[in-house]
Amino acid sequence: MTTAAVHGYTSDKAAYLRRLKRIEGQVRGIARMVDEDQYCIDILTQVAAVNSAMHAVSLGLLENHLQHCVVAAAHEAGTSGSSVAIDAKVKEATQAISRLLR
Amino acid sequence: MTTAAVHGYTSDKAAYLRRLKRIEGQVRGIARMVDEDQYCIDILTQVAAVNSAMHAVSLGLLENHLQHCVVAAAHEAGTSGSSVAIDAKVKEATQAISRLLR
Amino acid sequence: MTTAAVHGYTSDKAAYLRRLKRIEGQVRGIARMVDEDQYCIDILTQVAAVNSAMHAVSLGLLENHLQHCVVAAAHEAGTSGSSVAIDAKVKEATQAISRLLR
Amino acid sequence: MTTAAVHGYTSDKAAYLRRLKRIEGQVRGIARMVDEDQYCIDILTQVAAVNSAMHAVSLGLLENHLQHCVVAAAHEAGTSGSSVAIDAKVKEATQAISRLLR
């Protein structure tokens, strides 16, 4: 089993890298707008677009993680009969969601 | 198995009801502030407090749901060998999170 | 000049009170759903609806406040020639927005 | 009057450019984490950090904008006696805030 198989987002890796590359370009575009003294509200519109793109990425990663964590924790619970690993994974995921909700 | 056992939040039900009762009172308090022409910024501070309390409730419900969904989907996947039910539950949870992130 | 004239939201007061009354009812509805052991995801959908309604209220209050603060600070700056009052009002409004963004 | 004087954030321009450069680096770091198959939750923590940094930038821009818009609208209202320009500026700012709140 490779590391690649461990994380749920790996099959979509190329898509995530493309989206993050685009976000990086958007942030650079915002810097350019600031540098060129563009209108504040137009800059804020671009900031909102970056926020929105980041939210989409984080929801995708979260969905991949839940799918993986569900499968792995299901497997472990099936063999060990204990829900300790599941509870820890769920707590960890909920805390990540909480940080995304701020 | 009763309906009460189906949903993960049931063991904390009394706590959720107390928190929601408090939030209801906070919303009523905001209406009173508006009615008494109190200072806008003070009203917005109370709105932020309600938002914060609602976020805490939603994270709690989400954690309970993931714990329950994980256990139930793990059980189903263990007996059926299919991950269809897990994927559907994860998709549903992710969409709920997306609505909370707006 | 009455207190009612001081705050910008006063002309919309009846509308705000109606909206807050509706939100109060929505929160009570969520408590009922919890009490009746309804499905977690359906409850979270209602929580998202309350968040959305609260956001609309806060944006309305904020717009009213900025309109009022702009007018009042404009008047003061016009007579005193000082921008201290404007800067304080803007700082206060930005902090309120920050709390709404969490 | 130069363009630089028109927008409120210009005096802090170097600081904004530094912060945006750092955010750009954080986004690139997230892409690297995805590329190296790092743990999903760790990636989400970095996403939350970028969100937080973007919120700080947007609040700063908003504060600068309100300070500028207040001063400019105050000046216009003082000379024209009309609040049309103020109302339009406030509406525009509120819509920008709404997009940031999503």
Side-chain angles (χ1 to χ4, degrees), chain A residues 7 9 13 17 24 27-28 31 35 37-40 43 45 51 55 61 65 89 92 99 102, chain D residues 7 9 13 17 20 24 28 31 35 37-40 43 45 54-55 61 65 89 92 99 102:
Chain A
H7 303 305
Y9 60 82
K13 199 198 266 196
L17 292 179
E24 201 193 312
V27 175
R28 203 157 38 233
D35 197 36
D37 302 306
Q38 288 191 31
Y39 187 47
C40 221
I43 300 177
T45 300
N51 290 346
H55 278 303
L61 288 171
H65 178 67
K89 284 288 176 193
E92 187 187 55
R99 283 191 295 271
R102 259 141 299 134
Chain D
H7 303 305
Y9 60 82
K13 197 199 266 195
L17 292 178
L20 288 163
E24 201 194 311
R28 202 156 40 232
D35 197 38
D37 301 307
Q38 288 192 31
Y39 187 48
C40 220
I43 300 177
T45 300
M54 287 299 281
H55 278 302
L61 288 171
H65 178 67
K89 284 286 175 193
E92 186 187 55
R99 284 190 295 270
R102 260 142 301 134

Side-chain angles (χ1 to χ4, degrees), chain A residues 6 12 15 52 69 71:
Chain A
V6 173
D12 304 321
S52 191
C69 122
V71 170

Side-chain angles (χ1 to χ4, degrees), chain C residues 8 11 17-18 23 25 33 35 37 42 50 53-54 57 62-63 69-70 72-73 77 86 94-95:
Chain C
S11 61
L17 292 178
R18 268 196 308 277
I23 292 170
M33 292 176 86
D35 198 36
D37 302 308
D42 295 338
V50 167
M54 287 298 281
V57 165
L62 199 55
E63 183 171 351
C69 122
V70 165
I86 292 179
T94 310
Q95 285 169 344

